[in-house]
Amino acid sequence: MTRSGHNLLSKARSLYRAAKIVIVLGALIAGASDAVATARASSRVDKMSHFPHIILWAWERRENLSFIDPDKTAVAYLACTLDLEGDRVGNRPRFQPLTVPPRTKLIAVVRIEDNRRTRPSLSASQRVRAARIIAGFANASTAAIQIDFDALRSERGFYSDLLTDVRRRLPASIPLSMTALASWCLDDDWISGLPVDEAVPMLYRMGPDASAITTYLRGGGEFGSASSRNSIGLSLDTQIAGLGAAGKRVYLFSPHPWTAEAVRDAIVQVAK
């Protein structure tokens, strides 16, 4: 072989060795990233572990929950509704009174609605205004903040950025929760990796996929996203038994004002 041939062979071997090193390093980095992501997910979920097993949603109506045991039941109350219209953010605060016992863990829920006739701009300035309002509910009486937004596919980028902005503004001690369509936690998973401590799959009013989803869950199926595996959302006006609630935080919605009897009956059904 000529000198030039030896040189070419030597260069090829060097390039091959360099390529192997790059591949190995890439695999190590990818593995480390996965490990970090898994650790972060576990850490986020753990931030909600001190909440009671049962959490009652208290929507925009007069609610007297003075009968609950704060060691066994928390309350997620509608704090305000944000209306996205054009480039503005309308803020409708809660007007109805809410009565709870001392020491009750309270989750401030912010509902986001968009006016699809005027089409929200989903601009950076609109996101910043919404994030400021949401983060403003972090105070001494708030144990966590939850965002409720049925984002369209075209709104997911905006929502993801909003969650990131809100998380950045919140104290590290305040968990950030989000409600999620059941499909987001199954075949249409776009929520993995979002900066939330839990995603609550809403197992009611699920539309045409309701039967398939409930059959899957009653057969022992589990949600894909790690953030959605520790809580579920149920409503008293649908079947709530047998949906894999064991060991999870259960958010309960009632279409009518809560009573002690309704709470007791719901807890019995959840346990089945």
Side-chain angles (χ1 to χ4, degrees):
M1 184 179 291
T2 65
R3 183 182 296 276
S4 61
H6 279 296
N7 290 339
L8 286 173
L9 181 58
S10 177
K11 289 180 179 178
R13 286 172 175 166
S14 297
L15 289 171
Y16 175 70
R17 285 195 295 271
K20 286 180 68 177
I21 291 171
V22 169
I23 290 170
V24 171
L25 285 175
L28 289 173
I29 291 170
S33 297
D34 289 344
V36 170
T38 301
R40 285 178 178 171
S42 300
S43 149
R44 289 196 299 266
V45 170
D46 287 343
K47 288 176 68 175
M48 298 292 296
S49 63
H50 65 286
F51 280 79
H53 173 58
I54 297 295
I55 302 174
L56 305 180
W57 270 311
W59 227 236
E60 181 58 43
R61 64 182 176 227
R62 180 185 297 269
E63 290 282 14
N64 184 353
L65 297 172
S66 57
F67 57 83
I68 67 172
D69 180 347
D71 293 324
K72 297 180 180 179
T73 307
V75 175
Y77 71 99
L78 181 67
C80 77
T81 301
L82 301 184
D83 296 302
L84 306 182
E85 297 179 321
D87 198 42
R88 66 181 292 273
V89 179
N91 183 1
R92 287 183 281 153
R94 180 186 185 90
F95 290 108
Q96 298 296 328
L98 172 67
T99 304
V100 297
R103 298 188 301 105
T104 299
K105 283 188 168 61
L106 292 175
I107 301 174
V109 183
V110 177
R111 168 69 181 169
I112 298 178
E113 297 182 351
D114 56 6
N115 189 325
R116 294 179 185 163
R117 290 173 297 179
T118 59
R119 295 196 179 186
S121 66
L122 306 181
S123 64
S125 60
Q126 190 174 48
R127 184 195 76 237
V128 168
R129 288 195 294 274
R132 284 174 180 163
I133 295 171
I134 296 168
F137 286 101
N139 53 51
S141 64
T142 301
I145 287 179
Q146 184 176 85
I147 303 178
D148 179 34
F149 182 25
D150 303 329
L152 298 175
R153 192 173 295 271
S154 60
E155 298 169 330
R156 292 178 179 180
F158 171 85
Y159 194 13
S160 176
D161 291 341
L162 174 66
L163 289 166
T164 300
D165 197 348
V166 171
R167 178 67 272 173
R168 180 177 59 83
R169 295 170 184 272
L170 291 179
S173 59
I174 300 291
L176 179 60
S177 168
M178 68 179 288
T179 62
L181 301 182
S183 60
W184 294 356
C185 309
L186 292 169
D187 59 314
D188 188 22
D189 177 12
W190 66 277
I191 63 174
S192 291
L194 291 179
V196 296
D197 298 290
E198 70 167 1
V200 184
M202 311 289 281
L203 302 185
Y204 56 96
R205 303 186 182 106
M206 293 182 287
D209 296 329
S211 178
I213 292 173
T214 53
T215 298
Y216 169 75
L217 294 174
R218 288 193 173 112
E222 188 53 275
F223 293 109
S225 171
S227 61
S228 65
R229 294 176 187 166
N230 292 284
S231 58
I232 57 173
L234 304 173
S235 176
L236 301 195
D237 58 0
T238 59
Q239 178 60 251
I240 64 175
L243 290 177
K248 297 184 179 182
R249 287 180 298 278
V250 181
Y251 286 80
L252 292 171
F253 176 81
S254 172
H256 308 291
W258 283 106
T259 64
E261 182 181 9
V263 172
R264 285 195 302 268
D265 290 347
I267 291 174
V268 170
Q269 289 298 313
V270 165
K272 291 182 177 180

